[in-house]
Every structure is written in structure tokens, then in C-alpha cells.
Amino acid sequence: MTDSMHNVYLAIVLAPLAGAIIAGLFGKQVGRAGAHWVTNIGVAIAFFLSVVVFKHIIIDGAESYNASVYTWLISDGIKFEIGFLVDELTAMMMVVVTFVSLMVHIYTIGYMKDDPGYQRFFSYISLFTFSMLMLVMANNFMQLFFGWEAVGLVSYLLIGFWYKKETAIYANLKAFLVNRVGDFGFLLGIAAVLMYFNSLDYAEVFEAAPMMADLTIQLIPGMDWSLMTVICILLFIGAMGKSAQVPLHVWLPDSMEGPTPISALIHAATMVTAGIYMVARMSPLYELSTTALSFIMVIGAVTALSMGFLGIIQNDIKRVIAYSTLSQLGYMTVALGASAYAAGVFHLMTHAFFKALLFLAAGSVIIAMHHEQDIRKMGGLKKYMPITYWTMLIGSLALIGFPFFSGFFSKDAIIEAVRHSETAGAGFAYVCILIGVFVTAFYSFRMFFLVFHGKERMDSHTKEHLHESPKVVTLPLIVLAVPSVIAGGYFIEPMLFGDFFGGSIHVSPDNDTLGIVGGYYTSVVGFVVHAFAGPAIYLAAAGVGTAWFFYMKRRDIPGKIQKTFKPINTILEKNYGFDHFNEVFFAAGSRMLGRFFWKVGDVMVIDGIMVNGTANAVGWIAAKIRCIQTGYLYHYAFSMIIGLLLLLSWILLK
């Protein structure tokens, strides 16, 4: 059985890779239809085999698989390998990644049908799926880093897919550079693991970690730091880049410059979830550092609330959803800081379904609006696009945590876990995520009301051609709507309060906040009833009601608020100054440093001293030597005699 499953795991990662290679290298030969068929079949194979793995590991209770596939290098006894660790956490992630990716692949057939880069796009998104699978299936830090960098590379290619747009090129370069900052910390964390554990294998590192819990190191002479705290924070810096946590969040909103399908894939199932998954996978390390957990919780809380505020002022339909991703990633990060890893990963799963649904529904609207993305130029689309309307309503209700929808169970579990957490910063985080509930509901339904209800604000030409998107676009919406409704209620008990994750997630008894929440869990209905005793549901309802009143009943109020609080609005419009600071400090500073090295290094040293200096020195020496060329024979004879005498003297004295 082990050998057959080994082949299944290989097939899961190789099928999308094969599709990417065929579509990318032989796109002209296979044509547009061939490109989407080969990539869709590859991802479909990966999805169906992932379901088989899910049944094998989760339902049938088979043992986890942990084995090496290929040994790349052995140096001083340290193995650098490609290997798979397939346990409960991996099996869940594999199903989520491949399912959402398959829906995006199918949707892309309709969305990108007229794009000249059709084959190239399918190659990229299939390669994206392969990269994420390599990341989540890794059993060692080297393969983790390979998948980590691979998703970063493919995201760079996809964000800048329309490479003739200057904004797209700026956005993909921004994403690439910001993630290099995070990845530098991530690489230092892996280097520290290798240095002190003498291994890159997860199992070996996790087993040895408790013995390293009290070990300290001196990064600064005279100042002791906990080794585990240093490693965990360095690894989390990598997660801050990939999962777009403040201040390394600035790349994610600009990623909207890529086509809508890739926005769904990045935000729902691949790149931004990588950091959340990584911290959950490293729970045996993070449980040994309360400092790291507090740091994670505070960063997540700040991200959840501050990015929610930015969602309020956005008018681009995709950017509204993008900022909701940033905010929800903050919720997941807060859960990790509260040691509620299962709740964070549970929200990752439910979020993947409804966020992919929201992005693809937004793409359906964009198609109908002839690629107009400003929600102020929409309105009244409900009667023209009923399928898109109802599916987007489902996604929006799941996002705000409406009772019985998937997002409700995962988000409320996080709120309850943080409320019971004793980690430093938990009180601050609890206030932030509660306010975030109201903010999320407000900006989500602000967008929904402006797009589908009220006065029709599009031009006459667009209005005449409004119609529902084709089935190849709407079918993935309908399919994604199903888990957006039922997945939360179905999986809450086993994933949060049962033994769903087995030994793949480790929580210290002192930090078991979900254990406290599970103490009063009785059933799905009971969980919903209990939630009515807390403030979250009422805050979400208040957010929806406020959005309806402001944008359906009294549309003059938002403008008045904007004028009254103009300084605050300006701060929000400028993204709290992060982009300006990066432009002035990092970008301008890098250019200034480059000019310094050019003037000193190139002009003065290389050109001035080494190149021109050498030529000038030769000329000067030649000019001096030229002076002794008198043309008189007796001068030359005298010089030869003197030289001969000096040579003889040196030989005799030696």
C-alpha cells in the first residue's frame, strides 16, 4: 500500500507540472484548446487523487506518509532531499489547493478566451499549482524553500502577465522585491535551524526542539536571545511577506493588475496561504516561544483592522476584495498567535472557497461591464446577472460571518479562541478583530449594494449589452458556492474539537484555547446559538445595516463624512504612508546608493584609477624616460658600463 501511495503522491505533483510544460513549451503545437485541456486534465488528476489521499488519511485513518523521494546532496552528514510528508494537515491543504485551482482553470477558459497569451497563462497557473503542492507536501526545509520561492516566481510572472502595461510591470516588481525582504528573514531562519539542529528534516527538528527550548544565543554581545524565539520570528518574517502582513502587505493590493483568475488563485489557495500553513506546520517550534506567539498575534491584529479600514475607501471591485483578503489573513495570523492553529487553518480552508467565489464573481461582473472595475459606475446588475448575484451574495455572507455560512464558524472560533487566550497582546487583538467584524460587513455590502442594487450608473452602450456570463464562467461560481455554505458547519467539530489533525499540529496544554472553546460546544446549532450571546453577530448586522443606509437610503452621508474627516480619508487613500515611505526611503535610497557606487566605483576607481589611471601612468613614465633619449652614442655607452658595473657588484656581494 505504501508503494502505491508513493506513486499517487508523485502523480499529484507531476500532473500539473506536465500540463504546464506542454502548454508552455508546445503551446503553438497543441493550440489554445490543447493548452486548456492538458492543464485542466493535469489539475483534475491532482484533485481527484488528493481526494483519494484525503479519504486514505482522514476517513480511513491510515498512518502518515513521510519518506524521501530523491537525495540531491549529502554534505557533512546533512541530507538535502526531496521528500513528502502527507498527514492530516497536508491532505486537507492538497484538496483545497487542487479544488480551487481546478475551478480557476475551468473559469479561465471563458475569462481569457480572447487573450493572445492564452497558452502562456494556462502554463503559468498550472505551474503555480505544482509549486504550491510541492510546498505543502514537503517533509524538509529545503523542499519547503523550493516551493516557497517557486510560488513567488510564478506570482511574479502572473501579476505582470500583461507585460505591456506599465502598472502591471510595476506591480510584479513590487511583489517580487517585497517578498525578497520576507524571504531573507525566512532563509536566515532555515539557516539557524540547520546550524543548531544539524538537520533540515521536519521530524528530526521537531523531535529535538524541546531540548533546545532553553538554549540562548547572543545576536548582540552581552544580550541573550532565546534560540527558539529567534528561529520562529525569522521564519514568521517570511510568512509576513508571503501572507502579506503589515508592513510587508504593500504588494498584495497591486497584484490586482494581473488577470482576475490569478487574483483568485493567489488570494484563495496558493501564495498568501503559504505563510499561514508554514506557521501551523511549525507549531512544535512556535509552542516553545511565547514571545514569538505574542509578536504574531499583534502583527495579525494590526493587519486585520488596518487593512479593513482601507477596504472601505476602495472603488475598484477587485481591490475591495483584495483588502478583505488582507484583513482575513490577519484573522488567521491572530489565531496562530493564540495557539489556535486549527482555527487558523480552518479559516484558511473556508476563506479559500468564498474568496475564490468572490473574485470569480467579480470577474464575471467585469466581463459584463466590458472590463469596467469602478463600482461607482455599476448598479442594478441583479436583474441582468442573477447567477452572479446570488453566488456573490453567498460569498459576501460567508465573508462577514453570517450564521450557518462557512465563514461564520471559522471566524467565530478565532474570536472565541482569542478571547480565552492568555498570550500577551490577546486583549488588544480581541478588540481589533471585533471592530474588524463591523468593518468587514460594512465594506463588503457597500460593494454589493453599489454593484447589484440601486440606480444603474453605467453608460448606455454597456447597459445595452449587459447579460449573464457564459456557463464556463458561472459553473465554477455555483460549485464554489456549495462549500462556501456547508463546509464550515460540516467540518467545525472534527477540525476544531476533534482529532482531525492528529499529530500534525502540536499545542501545549497551557496554550490550548480551542480546548476551552470546545468545552461548551454541543452541536452546530448550539455553536450558532452561543454566538448570539457575544457581540460579533450584532456587529456584522450593524455593518450591513449601515452600508444599506449609507449607500441605498442616504447616499449623501458618505460624502459628508469624507469631507468632515478629510485628514483621515487622506491617510487611508495614501495607505497609511507605507507606499510613500518605501518610495522615498527604500527606492530613492537605493537609487542614491547606486549613484554613489557609480560615481565612486565606476567613475573614480574603475574609469579614473584602473583604466584611465593606468593609461595616464604609462604616459607619464614614457614622458620621463623619453627625456634620457639624447641621441649621443657616448651617453648610451656610459649607461651600459654603469649598468654592467652595478650587475657585477650585485653578483659579487651576493
Side-chain angles (χ1 to χ4, degrees):
M1 187 65 179
T2 302
D3 291 338
S4 62
M5 293 308 296
H6 174 85
N7 294 330
V8 168
Y9 302 140
L10 283 175
I12 289 172
V13 295
L14 293 179
L17 178 63
I21 292 172
I22 294 171
L25 299 182
F26 306 102
K28 290 184 178 179
Q29 288 82 354
V30 300
R32 295 166 73 88
H36 72 236
W37 273 111
V38 72
T39 51
N40 274 262
I41 290 173
V43 175
I45 290 172
F47 168 63
F48 288 116
L49 290 179
S50 295
V51 173
V52 171
V53 172
F54 187 89
K55 177 182 179 299
H56 179 65
I57 298 291
I58 304 295
I59 299 175
D60 297 342
E63 291 186 3
S64 300
Y65 177 90
N66 185 8
S68 173
V69 175
Y70 172 71
T71 300
W72 175 56
L73 177 68
I74 300 177
S75 177
D76 292 333
I78 301 171
K79 294 182 179 180
F80 297 84
E81 299 176 321
I82 300 297
F84 296 144
L85 169 60
V86 182
D87 56 13
E88 295 85 356
L89 178 59
T90 309
M92 185 276 290
M93 288 296 298
M94 288 163 63
V95 171
V96 171
V97 170
T98 53
F99 173 70
V100 173
S101 179
L102 179 59
M103 293 301 103
V104 171
H105 273 71
I106 296 170
Y107 177 92
T108 301
I109 298 172
Y111 191 88
M112 300 290 288
K113 64 178 181 179
D114 298 322
D115 196 284
Y118 192 79
Q119 293 97 313
R120 179 166 57 94
F121 189 81
F122 272 101
S123 175
Y124 287 171
I125 59 175
S126 193
L127 187 61
F128 211 165
T129 307
F130 159 75
S131 302
M132 189 64 185
L133 286 170
M134 287 293 285
L135 189 155
V136 300
M137 295 174 68
N139 74 341
N140 62 84
F141 285 92
M142 189 198 79
Q143 185 176 329
L144 173 70
F145 188 71
F146 166 79
W148 196 267
E149 293 303 309
V151 294
L153 171 63
V154 183
S155 69
Y156 169 82
L157 296 173
L158 284 163
I159 294 169
F161 180 78
W162 287 320
Y163 54 84
K164 293 184 179 180
K165 288 175 60 180
E166 290 188 9
T167 52
I169 296 303
Y170 177 82
N172 75 344
L173 183 61
K174 186 176 182 179
F176 191 80
L177 292 176
V178 171
N179 273 278
R180 297 291 69 73
V181 175
D183 292 354
F184 180 67
F186 189 62
L187 189 57
L188 287 177
I190 294 176
V193 169
L194 180 60
M195 179 178 179
Y196 287 95
F197 289 86
N198 204 38
S199 175
L200 291 174
D201 184 82
Y202 289 166
E204 294 178 7
V205 172
F206 295 163
E207 184 179 358
M211 294 180 285
M212 300 281 193
D214 298 325
L215 185 64
T216 59
I217 59 175
Q218 291 191 355
L219 300 177
I220 301 172
M223 185 179 294
D224 290 333
W225 288 72
S226 165
L227 172 66
M228 297 312 304
T229 296
V230 171
I231 289 175
C232 290
I233 289 179
L234 286 173
L235 292 175
F236 181 67
I237 290 173
M240 288 171 66
K242 278 289 182 290
S243 294
Q245 299 296 292
V246 172
L248 300 182
H249 68 283
V250 293
W251 67 271
L252 192 58
D254 289 349
S255 70
M256 297 301 97
E257 292 296 332
T260 298
I262 193 51
S263 299
L265 202 53
I266 288 177
H267 287 246
T270 52
M271 188 162 171
V272 298
T273 61
I276 306 300
Y277 165 79
M278 184 275 294
V279 175
R281 173 59 73 193
M282 301 299 150
S283 59
L285 303 183
Y286 281 93
E287 285 299 287
L288 299 174
S289 174
T290 55
T291 303
L293 291 175
S294 295
F295 178 74
I296 291 171
M297 179 176 284
V298 172
I299 291 293
V302 171
T303 303
L305 184 57
S306 62
M307 295 301 105
F309 284 138
L310 291 180
I312 294 173
I313 65 163
Q314 303 303 314
N315 295 312
D316 184 310
I317 187 171
K318 286 172 64 177
R319 280 184 173 265
V320 175
I321 304 173
Y323 278 105
S324 81
T325 298
L326 283 164
S327 183
Q328 297 308 304
L329 287 168
Y331 276 85
M332 298 176 209
T333 304
V334 167
L336 300 175
S339 293
Y341 306 99
V345 175
F346 184 40
H347 196 50
L348 182 157
M349 181 189 77
T350 61
H351 176 266
F353 299 138
F354 63 73
K355 187 50 59 70
L357 173 59
L358 285 170
F359 266 115
L360 299 187
S364 178
V365 170
I366 293 169
I367 294 172
M369 292 293 298
H370 297 284
H371 295 277
E372 175 59 66
Q373 296 182 198
D374 192 332
I375 59 178
R376 295 170 298 182
K377 298 179 182 179
M378 300 179 188
L381 293 184
K382 177 184 177 181
K383 65 180 180 181
Y384 300 103
M385 309 181 71
I387 298 176
T388 302
Y389 171 83
W390 287 108
T391 53
M392 197 162 198
L393 177 60
I394 289 172
S396 299
L397 291 172
L399 172 61
I400 70 169
F402 191 83
F404 293 104
F405 283 73
S406 289
F408 164 79
F409 295 100
S410 55
K411 183 183 285 187
D412 202 69
I414 291 173
I415 294 171
E416 286 295 295
V418 174
R419 184 167 72 90
H420 292 289
S421 175
E422 296 181 0
T423 303
F428 169 75
Y430 183 66
V431 173
C432 287
I433 59 178
L434 275 182
I435 298 173
V437 170
F438 172 85
V439 173
T440 300
F442 179 77
Y443 68 67
S444 297
F445 275 84
R446 168 184 176 264
M447 175 191 70
F448 186 79
F449 290 138
L450 287 176
V451 171
F452 292 103
H453 292 277
K455 182 181 178 182
E456 297 171 359
R457 298 178 296 277
M458 68 287 295
D459 58 63
S460 57
H461 175 73
T462 302
K463 185 176 179 180
E464 290 173 1
H465 294 85
L466 277 175
H467 59 83
E468 184 60 271
S469 298
K471 290 182 180 179
V472 73
V473 171
T474 56
L475 179 61
L477 301 183
I478 296 169
V479 174
L480 284 166
V482 175
S484 297
V485 175
I486 67 173
Y490 186 80
F491 284 106
I492 181 173
E493 184 173 356
M495 290 186 72
L496 299 189
F497 313 123
D499 196 34
F500 183 93
F501 290 110
S504 59
I505 289 178
H506 173 73
V507 180
S508 299
D510 294 340
N511 297 336
D512 192 10
T513 52
L514 284 179
I516 300 173
V517 178
Y520 53 77
Y521 177 84
T522 55
S523 64
V524 170
V525 175
F527 189 83
V528 175
V529 172
H530 181 270
F532 278 95
I537 289 179
Y538 304 104
L539 287 168
V544 175
T546 305
W548 174 84
F549 185 73
F550 280 9
Y551 294 97
M552 292 290 97
K553 196 74 174 173
R554 291 287 305 277
R555 296 196 61 192
D556 58 309
I557 293 179
K560 292 178 180 178
I561 293 175
Q562 187 175 355
K563 289 180 180 179
T564 304
F565 299 97
K566 189 174 182 180
I568 296 176
N569 186 72
T570 301
I571 292 172
L572 294 177
E573 286 181 342
K574 293 184 177 180
N575 187 22
Y576 304 110
F578 281 109
D579 287 328
H580 180 71
F581 175 79
N582 291 335
E583 182 65 33
V584 171
F585 186 80
F586 290 110
S590 298
R591 289 193 293 268
M592 185 172 65
L593 188 64
R595 283 193 296 270
F596 170 78
F597 283 125
W598 165 63
K599 289 183 178 180
V600 175
D602 283 8
V603 177
M604 291 180 61
V605 177
I606 297 176
D607 292 341
I609 297 176
M610 296 177 65
V611 178
N612 296 332
T614 303
N616 292 335
V618 171
W620 181 83
I621 294 170
K624 298 300 180 183
I625 294 176
R626 207 163 40 240
C627 294
I628 67 174
Q629 301 296 319
T630 63
Y632 293 106
L633 184 62
Y634 66 88
H635 286 172
Y636 299 148
F638 178 75
S639 298
M640 292 172 65
I641 292 170
I642 294 298
L644 182 62
L645 289 174
L646 291 172
L647 180 62
L648 289 172
S649 299
W650 179 76
I651 293 172
L652 291 173
L653 292 173
K654 185 178 179 182

